[in-house]
């Protein structure tokens, strides 16, 4: 019976291990130690249980099983889950993304014009320049508004949620307890548009979370809130 329970428990752990690693931001090589730690702990309980009389042994087994179920249920209820954030970024980010994209397309068009002037066989350069102009106009018009619809952020007392991208979209979550540093960054273009980026560094192997396109006041307030929340969480842990 004990061997059957151990095999059943191992099967449950193997199924739950990817979710545990993702929610706790564990490296896959580190997550494998969860199984070893569980095996050692379970063996210790079996040694204690084997020394008890049969009635006490049954009561002890039920008690250990109940404690494990309660711990799993409590962890499942309290752990923040990945979900779409609620708050939009600043609408000024649309203009910022459009201007930045336009600058790149203008530089490409200038290079093509210079090449066309210095090439005696310039007929095909005209076609390439027209294609570049059409593609650039579509990108400058569509991309900023698409990104604005996708980009979201949210901060709660338990976690930070981000959503970013446009073609390649990404959702991420960082528990407050995992936050190491919080930084605010403003490039030259972003300063012109009154925008700022917030970078949340955690212990995750996936890298820091970045929230782009916030107005300066919101970014400063978010940095203060996350810093205070992370310090309070570390204080509670000690």
């Amino acid at each position: 019976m004990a061997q059957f329970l151990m095999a059943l428990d191992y099967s449950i752990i193997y199924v739950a291990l990817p979710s545990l690693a993702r929610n706790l931001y564990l490296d896959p090589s580190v997550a494998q130690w969860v199984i070893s730690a569980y095996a050692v702990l379970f063996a210790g309980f079996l040694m204690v249980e084997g020394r008890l009389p049969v009635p006490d042994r049954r009561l002890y087994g039920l008690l250990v099983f109940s404690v494990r179920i309660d711990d799993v249920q409590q962890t499942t209820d309290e752990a923040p889950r990945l979900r779409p954030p609620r708050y939009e970024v600043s609408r000024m980010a649309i203009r910022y993304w459009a201007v930045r994209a336009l600058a790149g397309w203008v530089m490409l068009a200038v290079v093509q014009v210079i090449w066309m002037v210095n090439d005696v066989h310039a007929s095909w350069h005209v076609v390439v320049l027209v294609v570049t102009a059409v593609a650039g106009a579509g990108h400058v018009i569509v991309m900023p508004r698409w990104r604005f619809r996708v980009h979201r952020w949210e901060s709660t007392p338990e976690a930070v949620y981000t959503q970013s991208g446009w073609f390649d979209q990404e959702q991420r979550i960082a528990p407050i307890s995992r936050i190491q540093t919080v930084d605010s960054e403003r490039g030259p273009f972003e300063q012109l548009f009154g925008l700022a980026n917030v970078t949340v560094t955690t212990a995750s192997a996936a890298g820091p979370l970045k929230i782009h396109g916030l107005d300066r006041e919101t970014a400063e307030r978010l940095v203060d809130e996350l810093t205070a929340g992370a310090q309070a969480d570390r204080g509670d842990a000690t």
Side-chain angles (χ1 to χ4, degrees):
M1 185 65 179
Q3 292 180 350
F4 171 75
L5 290 177
M6 290 186 66
L8 179 62
D9 287 344
Y10 283 150
S11 300
I12 295 174
I13 293 177
Y14 273 115
V15 173
L17 193 59
S19 298
L20 290 174
R22 183 175 60 253
N23 293 334
L24 298 178
Y25 295 91
L26 296 177
D27 187 82
S29 60
V30 177
Q32 295 296 328
W33 285 97
V34 174
I35 299 177
S36 300
Y38 181 82
V40 173
L41 183 62
F42 190 79
F45 281 127
L46 286 180
M47 293 175 61
V48 174
E49 185 179 0
R51 295 179 176 271
L52 296 175
V54 174
D56 295 339
R57 190 181 306 171
R58 293 174 179 174
L59 180 61
Y60 180 80
L62 290 175
L63 177 62
V64 172
F65 181 77
S66 300
V67 170
R68 289 189 304 179
I69 293 298
D70 291 342
D71 290 341
V72 171
Q73 183 66 35
Q74 183 178 3
T75 303
T76 304
D77 293 340
E78 294 181 355
R81 297 184 177 182
L82 187 65
R83 58 175 176 79
R86 293 190 298 172
Y87 303 124
E88 296 179 344
V89 298
S90 173
R91 294 194 66 88
M92 192 62 68
I94 298 178
R95 298 182 181 180
Y96 164 71
W97 289 324
V99 170
R100 192 177 66 174
L102 179 62
W105 285 105
V106 168
M107 291 179 61
L108 179 60
V110 169
V111 172
Q112 292 179 351
V113 169
I114 295 175
W115 191 3
M116 181 176 62
V117 171
N118 295 328
D119 191 354
V120 294
H121 304 288
S123 57
W124 65 275
H125 287 289
V126 176
V127 177
V128 174
L129 187 60
V130 171
V131 172
T132 300
V134 173
H139 182 252
V140 171
I141 293 173
V142 174
M143 181 273 296
R145 291 165 176 79
W146 193 339
R147 291 188 66 176
F148 177 76
R149 290 179 178 274
V150 173
H151 278 236
R152 294 288 188 275
W153 68 278
E154 184 179 353
S155 173
T156 69
E158 293 78 27
V160 182
Y161 303 84
T162 63
Q163 179 175 289
S164 59
W166 57 302
F167 268 131
D168 185 14
Q169 300 180 12
E170 180 186 40
Q171 287 186 357
R172 294 187 60 186
I173 177 175
I176 297 296
S177 59
R178 305 283 289 181
I179 293 178
Q180 295 177 337
T181 60
V182 184
D183 304 304
S184 178
E185 177 188 5
R186 302 176 65 207
F189 274 1
E190 289 160 331
Q191 294 182 31
L192 292 176
F193 290 92
L195 300 175
N197 304 321
V198 174
T199 302
V200 181
T201 304
T202 68
S204 171
L209 277 74
K210 294 185 178 182
I211 306 175
H212 297 278
L214 298 177
D215 62 83
R216 186 177 62 181
E217 291 77 11
T218 301
E220 293 176 352
R221 184 173 67 253
L222 180 60
V223 169
D224 293 339
E225 291 177 357
L226 293 179
T227 302
Q231 292 177 349
D233 188 84
R234 284 192 289 268
D236 293 340
T238 56

